[in-house]
Amino acid sequence: LPETWHDYLYRLSHKNRHELRRKLRRLEKLAGDFEIVESKIPARDIELFLSLMKKSRPEKVLFLTPERQLFFKTISVQMPPEVLDLTFLKIKKVPVAAILGLVGDKTYYLYNSGFDPAYRHLSVGLILNALTIKRAIKRRFKIYDFMMGDEHYKYQLGAGDEFVYNI
């Protein structure tokens, strides 16, 4: 990550920078009252995260087997609060997107996310990702790791492929 949000934006391609700014302006104009909220009690809020995850894509419903749901619930209780980050985007106090991330050694690891498709037109998932990047820059993190997967939004936000080799 660069040192400032401005520098981050200018690392994006012209098109992606323009689109991100446009989406942020659109959210401000249409939704007005929105906020980013970090969960103070992840064990209490994990069900909300899981429900947003299930709503966001049919593949996530299949991914969230009872065993995986138990895993998420367990880490929400057992992980130290300085390591587990559960963050929500709320519009008029209604949670519309969520990210579960892990923090370690000045690195933010995006573990999983979800959003309410009723707010897809406002790009709430992408915007929450962008705003957690902004927060990571403000906290002087060095890396924002999108982790595994080649979802399109990751590239829109400036991700590049990292190749892992087993020898």
Side-chain angles (χ1 to χ4, degrees):
L1 293 172
E3 290 189 24
T4 68
W5 175 246
H6 181 268
D7 291 345
Y8 165 75
L9 290 174
Y10 278 88
R11 283 188 180 182
L12 299 177
S13 70
H14 174 74
K15 178 184 179 207
N16 288 337
R17 179 174 56 251
H18 171 76
E19 283 300 306
L20 179 56
R21 285 180 168 157
R22 185 185 64 76
K23 288 172 181 176
L24 284 165
R25 282 192 307 271
R26 181 173 182 185
L27 179 65
E28 289 169 358
K29 180 181 176 188
L30 296 179
D33 183 22
F34 74 91
E35 62 184 332
I36 305 302
V37 178
E38 294 177 53
S39 173
K40 302 287 186 234
I41 308 170
R44 175 195 66 202
D45 298 329
I46 198 68
E47 287 292 342
L48 178 55
F49 168 76
L50 292 171
S51 71
L52 286 167
M53 214 175 140
K54 288 175 193 173
K55 284 181 180 180
S56 60
R57 292 196 336 243
E59 310 88 75
K60 291 205 177 191
V61 174
L62 297 174
F63 172 79
L64 281 172
T65 62
E67 294 80 16
R68 286 197 179 109
Q69 290 184 60
L70 179 60
F71 169 75
F72 281 108
K73 291 174 187 177
T74 301
I75 65 170
S76 75
V77 172
Q78 294 183 354
M79 300 269 311
E82 63 272 8
V83 174
L84 185 73
D85 174 65
L86 182 55
T87 299
F88 295 93
L89 171 61
K90 293 183 176 184
I91 296 177
K92 295 181 172 65
K93 308 291 183 203
V94 176
V96 298
I99 284 180
L100 181 72
L102 304 169
V103 176
D105 194 30
K106 292 292 184 187
T107 300
Y108 189 90
Y109 299 93
L110 173 62
Y111 190 68
N112 223 313
S113 61
F115 66 93
D116 185 336
Y119 294 86
R120 175 178 274 123
H121 67 287
L122 294 174
S123 304
V124 293
L126 181 96
I127 287 173
L128 180 56
N129 277 283
L131 294 176
T132 59
I133 291 170
K134 185 176 185 177
R135 183 184 64 190
I137 291 168
K138 186 176 182 182
R139 292 179 178 172
R140 302 275 179 230
F141 283 26
K142 301 296 178 201
I143 298 170
Y144 188 98
D145 191 336
F146 287 99
M147 298 180 69
M148 206 165 73
D150 61 355
E151 293 86 357
H152 181 67
Y153 77 90
K154 294 177 181 181
Y155 299 104
Q156 289 177 292
L157 293 172
D161 292 327
E162 292 264 337
F163 297 98
V164 178
Y165 300 93
N166 289 324
I167 299 176

